[in-house]
Amino acid sequence: MSDWEADSEEDGPGGAAPKPSRALPAWRPATEAASAGVCENRAAGGDKKERGDGWKGRPRQGLAREPWQSGPLEYRARGSPGGRGRESARSPPLCFHLDNALVGTVIGRGGAKIKELEESSGCKIQVVRGNCDAEIKIFGGNDKQTKAKMLIDDLVERSGQSNSGEKYEKDSFKHQHVGTTYCHASRSGALMSVNNNPKQSINWTSLRENKAKYEAMKWADLPPIEKIFYKESPNIASMSQDEVDRQRKENNNITCDDLKESEKRRIPNPICKFEDAFQHYPDVMANIRKVGFQTPTPIQSQAWPIVLQGFDLIGIAQTGTGKTLAYLMPGFIHLDSQPIPREKRGGPGMLVLTPTRELALQVEAECSKYSYKGIKSICIYGGGDRKGQISMVTKGVDIVIATPGRLNDLQMNNFINLRSITYLVLDEADRMLDMGFEPQIMKILLDVRPDRQTIMTSATWPDGVRRLAKSYLKDPMIVYVGTLDLAAVNTVEQKVVVIPEEEKRAFTRYFIDTMKSEDKVIIFVGKKLTADDLSSDFGLQGIPVQSLHGNREQCDREQALEDFKKGRVRILIATDLASRGLDVQDITHVFNFDFPRNIEEYVHRVGRTGRAGRSGEAVTLVTRNDWRIASELIEILARGNQVIPEELISMAERYKQFQLKKEMEKDCGKPRGRSWKNA
Ligand code: AMP
């Protein structure tokens, strides 16, 4: 997981204190480097450059080390850019793929067969296992590669299995080898030599046509999707533009836009009552009455008419704003109103992708509060009971709420059919990107029909999220609810304590000692290690606490949340894993032991308290290491009419000065890296 838990900086004032800089050799173009006898090692972890003098005396010219030692290596003969003339001896690796089922055949017990193959062919063979297949790389001269490949073909043939997806290609750094003869292979595996013609033209038009044809074929047998379920009530339809504007302004300052590039569509008016959206769906109304909600939240009032009209939607809103119901309720109607009955679709109709297990579980909990025409949901997340999840999925469910990793796993292993999905939700898209889930999302969405309806939620709207929206949503409308100064943050009393790092523990202990019996606090820390450390410290001091972070087993994380929710412990020490998606209504305090990595995360954390109209308090410890965020924090505090400590103001001022000096030094070409202390 790539959240701040693991990545936060260990050092200096906001990371600004100068570190001794490592002297790196200046970059030179590859050809120049080659002629000077520099051998670049770009293998994992190796950003080194070895000087020509070093390899001059080595027995094998042109190589600082064997190419198979640790990944791709660029090499060139001295004074001969591209290494022409040595290719027959040292060709780029011959790469091909082998189904995982066949890998054992080639490797043999304890790698015995690989060794045999290497000895017989004189090549080095590398096997890189993937999810479905393995990449086999053969290193050595062309003749030897051919021999090794034939030996492997022979092994495969003798094993009686075929390698369905076999494909051959020279390694990606082949462009370095100008004029090389490349080896290609037919499906039967026989190697053919062809002259490399780098200028071979690609017929893009035909490729595009073929792709479109293939896409059309891929989805041809699927039934059409019914998406429009909205009948605007007369009182909403008759609202004047002024009334619409006022309604939006009073509802957390909703703003919306149609992102369709050509001919803008009318953005539906926001609704005022639940009946405005659901009067024709008595079962939905019954559910809403059952849970006792009074009015739609701002995001619901604007999202429902948009989603029920069948448009894709981007909702810029946070957990705690009622966003889950904003997509769930229209989703229930969508699922139940498709031309093919649910039980005959051969798979789930709705997929909700969430970044964390906690959010997935929370969405599922929200989903199971409502019963709508027997719709069944399941939560699929890593760390949960995989067998149980597979068994549930194969029995048949309507809604899948999943984290991308585990869903991808079930998808790759054909345990789940995603072709039946017609309603897709990407929940907290910004968080999913932060956590590096984009590749998994890409793979998952290859199997989801493109004419689906897609809803995306995100707390922020940075470039990455925009790109994601452009790739996966079709002509969406966008609804922003509030800005960073969210209602939640403004209802929370925010105290900032500027403190030396070494006094933070004692202050935290003091805070705990002064807690009232009904208080409930989340203590946010920057690292998993700090979470463990603090919780064991407090445990030893006889203070009951729980901790929540990504290194804990899933069952422990669930237990920690349960204990905290039920009030068995009143202190939860957590990393930012809990800063979003955690819906515990009675948290009275948020205590920021470490300042978060950015101001948005601060807003998320603070929003864990002051929920559902209650008041809350946030205490934030700021050390001089946090000086970079001081001015942004001041802005948030000012917007919420909070007390701004003098030290924070002077910290912001010092940082500004420091930045200015740095800029000036840069402009004058002076050395950089003055300490913040001198600023
Ligand atoms: P969410 O933003 O989806 O995490 O929702 C936060 C909480 O608000 C959940 O406990 C919901 O059950 C609750 N909620 C959703 N819609 C409403 C509403 N219209 N009125 C009051 N509470 C709501």
Side-chain angles (χ1 to χ4, degrees):
M1 192 182 310
S2 69
D3 65 13
W4 187 55
E5 289 183 307
D7 300 336
S8 68
E9 295 159 286
E10 295 273 9
D11 57 351
K19 287 184 197 159
S21 64
R22 241 174 351 121
L24 292 172
W27 180 87
R28 281 182 297 158
T31 45
E32 194 191 317
S35 58
V38 176
C39 177
E40 288 181 28
N41 168 9
R42 295 222 189 119
D47 201 15
K48 300 169 198 150
K49 293 187 180 185
E50 293 182 24
R51 297 294 312 169
D53 322 350
W55 65 268
K56 237 191 241 173
R58 289 171 193 226
R60 87 185 26 258
Q61 278 193 333
L63 276 174
R65 54 177 192 129
E66 300 288 7
W68 52 82
Q69 276 173 344
S70 58
L73 174 95
E74 285 176 19
Y75 63 97
R76 295 166 204 93
R78 216 148 93 89
S80 143
R84 195 186 284 257
R86 287 196 185 271
E87 259 65 44
S88 60
R90 294 281 156 224
S91 293
L94 169 66
C95 302
F96 61 98
H97 288 251
L98 207 58
D99 289 353
N100 274 345
L102 290 170
V103 172
T105 308
V106 174
I107 293 178
R109 252 172 208 272
K113 283 199 183 144
I114 281 269
K115 272 190 211 122
E116 242 176 64
L117 284 166
E118 286 179 343
E119 275 165 21
S120 322
S121 63
C123 290
K124 281 282 170 192
I125 300 170
Q126 193 184 55
V127 180
V128 185
R129 276 190 189 259
N131 279 338
C132 305
D133 58 15
E135 189 185 27
I136 315 287
K137 287 185 176 180
I138 305 176
F139 298 89
N142 273 343
D143 295 348
K144 291 178 179 174
Q145 286 179 332
T146 309
K147 186 170 176 194
K149 177 64 181 62
M150 281 163 71
L151 288 168
I152 293 174
D153 282 347
D154 193 43
L155 272 179
V156 170
E157 222 172 285
R158 272 191 282 143
S159 76
Q161 293 167 276
S162 74
N163 184 30
S164 52
E166 191 177 52
K167 55 181 191 273
Y168 296 79
E169 52 184 300
K170 282 290 180 186
D171 202 310
S172 53
F173 51 93
K174 61 189 169 203
H175 61 274
Q176 296 288 343
H177 300 263
V178 184
T180 314
T181 297
Y182 288 97
C183 295
H184 295 267
S186 67
R187 277 187 72 79
S188 68
L191 282 159
M192 302 181 297
S193 287
V194 289
N195 275 333
N196 169 41
N197 176 6
K199 283 263 150 78
Q200 235 175 29
S201 66
I202 297 168
N203 186 342
W204 291 108
T205 322
S206 135
L207 266 182
R208 261 194 294 272
E209 273 168 12
N210 283 342
K211 185 172 178 269
K213 265 188 221 153
Y214 169 74
E215 277 288 310
M217 263 164 55
K218 190 172 165 191
W219 308 110
D221 58 329
L222 293 172
I225 305 177
E226 196 61 60
K227 291 184 184 170
I228 303 173
F229 309 107
Y230 188 58
K231 292 184 196 106
E232 198 172 43
S233 70
N235 54 324
I236 296 298
S238 63
M239 281 167 94
S240 68
Q241 192 55 47
D242 276 355
E243 283 171 308
V244 168
D245 292 345
R246 193 167 353 103
Q247 161 85 355
R248 287 186 178 139
K249 193 157 182 53
E250 284 167 6
N251 257 316
N252 251 31
N253 202 13
I254 298 171
T255 52
C256 18
D257 198 2
D258 179 11
L259 299 186
K260 188 172 181 184
E261 272 158 21
S262 55
E263 36 147 350
K264 298 278 176 199
R265 300 154 299 184
R266 170 185 173 257
I267 297 171
N269 293 344
I271 56 149
C272 304
K273 305 188 290 265
F274 291 112
E275 288 80 359
D276 294 331
F278 302 119
Q279 58 181 323
H280 305 289
Y281 304 95
D283 290 30
V284 172
M285 284 308 302
N287 270 299
I288 289 170
R289 279 190 210 105
K290 191 176 82 183
V291 288
F293 295 153
Q294 300 299 309
T295 46
T297 65
I299 182 78
Q300 291 164 358
S301 73
Q302 186 60 76
W304 280 336
I306 293 177
V307 179
L308 287 168
Q309 280 199 37
F311 298 128
D312 282 6
L313 174 80
I314 302 162
I316 306 295
Q318 303 211 352
T319 297
T321 55
K323 69 175 171 61
T324 315
L325 219 54
Y327 60 74
L328 273 185
M329 286 302 177
F332 289 156
I333 296 169
H334 174 109
L335 278 183
D336 194 56
S337 313
Q338 293 309 307
I340 308 271
R342 292 199 321 262
E343 59 286 358
K344 293 199 177 145
R345 272 178 236 156
M350 187 200 300
L351 170 64
V352 182
L353 283 177
T354 72
T356 61
R357 305 156 194 191
E358 281 70 19
L359 182 60
L361 286 166
Q362 197 168 293
V363 171
E364 208 223 355
E366 187 71 10
C367 194
S368 49
K369 277 189 204 163
Y370 313 96
S371 52
Y372 191 79
K373 312 214 173 171
I375 284 178
K376 280 186 262 165
S377 61
I378 183 190
C379 192
I380 291 179
Y381 53 92
D385 168 18
R386 186 171 181 272
K387 260 193 187 160
Q389 291 170 1
I390 292 169
S391 137
M392 282 276 288
V393 168
T394 38
K395 270 188 213 144
V397 287
D398 305 294
I399 303 178
V400 171
I401 301 150
T403 52
R406 174 57 60 88
L407 183 66
N408 204 203
D409 161 21
L410 299 198
Q411 175 196 22
M412 304 280 280
N413 288 295
N414 286 328
F415 288 120
I416 190 163
N417 169 24
L418 299 177
R419 284 171 65 83
S420 50
I421 303 284
T422 53
Y423 190 90
L424 170 78
V425 180
L426 302 171
D427 205 356
E428 296 197 353
D430 51 349
R431 185 78 159 153
M432 284 204 269
L433 289 186
D434 281 354
M435 294 175 74
F437 282 133
E438 199 171 354
Q440 283 97 332
I441 295 174
M442 245 171 76
K443 280 192 214 152
I444 290 166
L445 297 192
L446 283 177
D447 283 350
V448 180
R449 54 191 290 183
D451 57 344
R452 65 188 178 246
Q453 185 172 6
T454 309
I455 320 296
M456 183 166 110
T457 80
S458 181
T460 54
W461 186 227
D463 283 350
V465 179
R466 286 164 207 248
R467 190 172 30 80
L468 204 70
K470 220 172 160 78
S471 307
Y472 298 119
L473 279 78
K474 210 174 253 167
D475 299 332
M477 292 193 175
I478 183 165
V479 175
Y480 303 79
V481 179
T483 48
L484 259 187
D485 55 342
L486 291 151
V489 177
N490 290 343
T491 57
V492 175
E493 188 184 351
Q494 298 162 67
K495 292 180 181 161
V496 171
V497 181
V498 180
I499 193 171
E501 184 70 40
E502 57 277 13
E503 286 174 24
K504 277 162 64 169
R505 274 177 198 248
F507 187 90
T508 311
R509 176 66 209 248
Y510 163 76
F511 172 84
I512 290 174
D513 290 344
T514 53
M515 273 173 72
K516 297 192 195 103
S517 59
E518 67 276 14
D519 285 351
K520 207 181 230 192
V521 59
I522 301 196
I523 300 179
F524 280 107
V525 295
K527 295 179 192 164
K528 300 164 194 167
L529 206 68
T530 318
D532 280 340
D533 199 21
L534 272 187
S535 48
S536 65
D537 255 17
F538 290 139
L540 287 172
Q541 292 165 30
I543 301 166
V545 297
Q546 261 292 11
S547 72
L548 186 65
H549 62 72
N551 271 4
R552 296 202 72 188
E553 292 286 327
Q554 182 58 24
C555 56
D556 295 333
R557 283 159 67 169
E558 281 168 29
Q559 185 65 52
L561 258 182
E562 185 70 6
D563 286 351
F564 188 58
K565 272 188 182 165
K566 294 263 159 72
R568 288 194 281 268
V569 295
R570 307 201 72 83
I571 302 169
L572 179 71
I573 301 175
T575 57
D576 278 318
L577 192 70
S579 72
R580 303 192 202 183
L582 187 74
D583 183 29
V584 180
Q585 300 285 351
D586 57 347
I587 297 170
T588 55
H589 291 78
V590 161
F591 187 98
N592 289 315
F593 180 88
D594 291 320
F595 199 86
R597 59 186 164 164
N598 57 44
I599 203 72
E600 272 145 12
E601 215 61 62
Y602 170 82
V603 174
H604 290 305
R605 287 183 180 182
V606 170
R608 295 311 96 210
T609 181
R611 293 169 76 76
R614 294 167 212 243
S615 59
E617 194 177 310
V619 178
T620 301
L621 306 189
V622 171
T623 70
R624 55 191 196 173
N625 292 359
D626 303 312
W627 67 336
R628 266 188 297 192
I629 50 76
S631 67
E632 283 175 301
L633 181 57
I634 288 170
E635 247 178 69
I636 296 277
L637 295 174
R639 282 192 213 175
N641 291 326
Q642 309 286 331
V643 177
I644 304 169
E646 279 301 318
E647 296 103 306
L648 193 67
I649 298 172
S650 61
M651 197 185 254
E653 194 48 44
R654 278 207 310 277
Y655 185 64
K656 209 166 125 196
Q657 295 296 331
F658 171 69
Q659 289 292 85
L660 271 174
K661 274 188 188 161
K662 226 166 73 169
E663 283 304 312
M664 278 165 59
E665 282 174 0
K666 205 157 91 185
D667 290 346
C668 303
K670 282 188 196 162
R672 286 202 268 150
R674 283 200 58 190
S675 162
W676 64 279
K677 286 173 197 157
N678 307 326

